[in-house]
Amino acid sequence: MSGIVLTAYPGSILGPVAKFLGWIMNGIYNGISSITGGRVESVVLSIVIVTIIIYMCLLPLTIKQQKFSKLSQKMQPEMQAIQAKYKNKKDQASMMAMQQETQMLYDKYGISPMGSCVQLIIQMPILLALYRVFYNIPAYLDGVKGSFTNLVTQIQSTSGYTDTLGELMSKFNFTTSSGLTSSNVVDKLSNASGDTLSNYIIDILYKLPSKGWDALLDGKYFDGLQSSVESTHNALQHFNYFLGLNISDTPWYIIKNNFFAKDKPEMWLLIGILALLIPVLSYLTQLLNIKLMPQASNGNDQMANQMKTMNMLMPLMSFFICFTVPVGLGIYWISSAVVRGLQQFFVNKHIENLDLEEVMKKNQEKAKKKREKRGISEDYIRQAANIRTKSIDAKANISASADNEDKLAKAQSMKSNAKAGSLASKANMVKDFNERNSRK
């Protein structure tokens, strides 16, 4: 890996994870090539295999998360009962008692309020790092990077190559994974040297769209290097194409340049349709994932509506974004969605067959042992809950009596201080007259 890390994602958190996953993918790529005697060198196949491996490793976390979701649904009625019991009670004793009963409920079902978050915290860096690997393949697959070495050396020996590469990027308007654009490429190449310079040029060649390679083959750029360009392009077609699609191109670029091609229109139309299928399949597989996921019912209509909206928007976002990212990333999204869908189908079957009462019993035993380690007994918890509940009721009664006495005192004060001629003073006169007559 030491020879290819310079083009790798440099992030302090995701960078090391991406390098490790890239090392796995590099081993898969080289292993497939070795087993097939060099006949199969496929980036797409490596993407699919490493995606399957990663999601199989994450399967225990997925099952744990689904158990959490199922138990959370089962405990919702009891949670809502606790919330109703302490509704509108904002004093400290009530808040503490509610917190205590809520914690006892979580212990009863053996789950944690942060349970689902922990699973996501573990999974997200892995999946995001995997995304970085697929976005910058030559940084992690030495076989892919090595295919460009000879051409890169010859380009560097060409006079004015930095301006030629700048013109090439400006003509075909693309950005590399190392941040090179048509506006900064000349400056960055001029200030780079050694491996960094070579890696920059490899990034440009790998992200170069199909029409750009056609221009190189025609000698419009770097005339005299056609032999090396052809050799590199043949290798690129061997490992970087899937059903006629260059996985470095975006679906939108392929559609825009192939649907209305004048030469061989039938072939280019077919390639354009295949490119369109990438975002369509991404949308459908994401939708399938959402259908298979268990839907939480927590009694909160607003939250349920928000989740429903998110479930509608996420596949649509995947559909539109997929037009603008390389085909290789689209294939990753599709393959990962298919793998997750298959996993979810079997996980759902597993969860349906679980004896939740037995799971709860085991979880309660675990929670009891943890409390005992902290020196908290079961009797103490029950007594504390009862004392706090009685304390709350007593304080509520005292508070109500005090409120009534305050109201009576205020009424008496207003009565004795009524102004002459007011309705209150006239009412007092009538009351006094009635009282005197009643004593006669």
Side-chain angles (χ1 to χ4, degrees):
M1 285 293 290
S2 59
I4 61 173
V5 295
L6 287 177
T7 53
Y9 179 66
S12 58
I13 297 175
L14 293 183
V17 181
K19 287 176 186 177
F20 176 71
L21 296 176
W23 177 78
I24 295 174
M25 187 171 173
N26 188 52
I28 293 170
Y29 180 88
N30 292 335
I32 294 170
S33 177
S34 177
I35 292 170
T36 61
R39 291 189 298 274
V40 179
E41 291 179 332
S42 173
V43 172
V44 170
L45 184 57
S46 301
I47 287 174
V48 172
I49 292 174
V50 78
T51 301
I52 293 171
I53 290 172
I54 294 300
Y55 276 97
M56 289 304 294
C57 291
L58 292 175
L59 183 58
L61 288 176
T62 303
I63 293 174
K64 192 170 183 179
Q65 191 173 6
Q66 296 303 315
K67 281 183 181 178
F68 174 89
S69 178
K70 197 75 174 177
L71 289 168
S72 294
Q73 291 179 41
K74 188 175 177 64
M75 82 171 193
Q76 277 306 310
E78 293 179 60
M79 178 64 77
Q80 290 167 13
I82 292 174
Q83 291 169 349
K85 177 180 177 181
Y86 294 98
K87 187 178 180 181
N88 300 325
K89 294 181 180 180
K90 303 299 182 182
D91 59 282
Q92 187 178 3
S94 298
M95 298 296 286
M96 289 179 65
M98 180 178 176
Q99 185 179 7
Q100 182 71 62
E101 290 189 40
T102 302
Q103 185 58 53
M104 289 175 67
L105 183 63
Y106 277 117
D107 289 345
K108 173 183 175 182
Y109 285 88
I111 59 178
S112 164
M114 300 296 292
S116 60
C117 297
V118 172
Q119 321 303 331
L120 290 174
I121 289 170
I122 295 172
Q123 292 182 48
M124 287 306 293
I126 296 173
L127 300 180
L128 290 174
L130 204 58
Y131 173 92
R132 298 305 313 184
V133 173
F134 297 154
Y135 190 72
N136 191 10
I137 291 294
Y140 301 96
L141 302 190
D142 51 9
V144 171
K145 185 171 183 176
S147 301
F148 294 96
T149 303
N150 184 49
L151 179 57
V152 169
T153 301
Q154 293 191 35
I155 286 175
Q156 286 180 281
S157 64
T158 304
S159 177
Y161 71 90
T162 56
D163 293 326
T164 305
L165 288 171
E167 184 183 343
L168 187 67
M169 289 194 70
S170 178
K171 171 69 176 176
F172 296 100
N173 192 28
F174 63 97
T175 302
T176 73
S177 54
S178 54
L180 297 179
T181 65
S182 57
S183 60
N184 68 15
V185 59
V186 175
D187 288 338
K188 288 213 171 189
L189 291 176
S190 299
N191 295 323
S193 61
D195 287 340
T196 302
L197 177 59
S198 298
N199 288 330
Y200 274 150
I201 299 173
I202 289 172
D203 285 342
I204 292 170
L205 294 174
Y206 187 74
K207 293 294 182 181
L208 187 65
S210 301
K211 296 293 183 182
W213 280 101
D214 292 341
L216 286 177
L217 289 167
D218 290 342
K220 294 178 181 177
Y221 302 88
F222 301 113
D223 188 23
L225 302 184
Q226 281 88 347
S227 177
S228 293
V229 169
E230 185 177 357
S231 175
T232 304
H233 186 248
N234 288 339
L236 190 70
Q237 287 184 309
H238 188 54
F239 63 71
N240 214 54
Y241 276 71
F242 175 71
L243 299 177
L245 304 177
N246 183 349
I247 65 172
S248 297
D249 289 343
T250 66
W252 178 245
Y253 176 88
I254 296 171
I255 292 167
K256 185 173 62 175
N257 287 277
N258 292 306
F259 259 130
F260 305 106
K262 294 180 180 178
D263 58 319
K264 301 180 181 178
E266 295 85 2
M267 182 186 73
W268 293 120
L269 177 64
L270 177 60
I271 290 176
I273 292 171
L274 288 172
L276 179 61
L277 279 175
I278 298 295
V280 170
L281 287 174
S282 177
Y283 170 77
L284 293 176
T285 51
Q286 296 289 339
L287 200 62
L288 177 63
N289 268 191
I290 289 171
K291 295 292 184 184
L292 287 171
M293 286 290 289
Q295 302 300 314
S297 55
N298 56 10
N300 189 327
D301 291 337
Q302 183 179 0
M303 187 174 291
N305 289 333
Q306 288 175 350
M307 287 301 299
K308 187 176 180 181
T309 303
M310 286 291 292
N311 289 342
M312 291 174 60
L313 288 178
M314 291 303 290
L316 282 173
M317 288 175 62
S318 173
F319 174 75
F320 288 111
I321 293 173
C322 209
F323 277 101
T324 62
V325 298
V327 167
L329 277 178
I331 292 172
Y332 160 59
W333 286 351
I334 293 167
S335 60
S336 62
V338 170
V339 173
R340 286 199 312 272
L342 289 171
Q343 272 192 353
Q344 192 62 56
F345 175 79
F346 290 107
V347 168
N348 288 347
K349 293 292 184 184
H350 172 71
I351 296 296
E352 286 172 7
N353 294 328
L354 277 178
D355 184 349
L356 292 182
E357 296 298 330
E358 184 64 27
V359 172
M360 286 168 55
K361 185 177 178 181
K362 290 180 180 178
N363 288 337
Q364 288 171 41
E365 287 297 321
K366 290 179 183 177
K368 181 179 177 181
K369 288 178 181 178
K370 287 180 181 179
R371 286 195 297 268
E372 287 174 351
K373 285 183 179 179
R374 298 198 302 265
I376 303 173
S377 67
E378 298 297 304
D379 291 338
Y380 173 80
I381 291 174
R382 292 192 191 95
Q383 289 172 10
N386 290 334
I387 291 168
R388 283 181 179 143
T389 303
K390 291 175 181 177
S391 174
I392 290 165
D393 293 339
K395 287 186 178 183
N397 292 333
I398 292 168
S399 178
S401 299
D403 288 343
N404 289 335
E405 289 177 5
D406 287 343
K407 288 176 182 178
L408 288 171
K410 287 179 181 178
Q412 187 64 33
S413 176
M414 290 176 66
K415 172 187 170 183
S416 58
N417 295 324
K419 292 182 179 180
S422 66
L423 288 175
S425 65
K426 291 177 181 178
N428 290 337
M429 291 172 62
V430 172
K431 183 181 178 184
D432 291 340
F433 177 79
N434 289 333
E435 287 177 350
R436 285 195 300 269
N437 289 335
S438 65
R439 289 194 294 267
K440 290 180 180 179

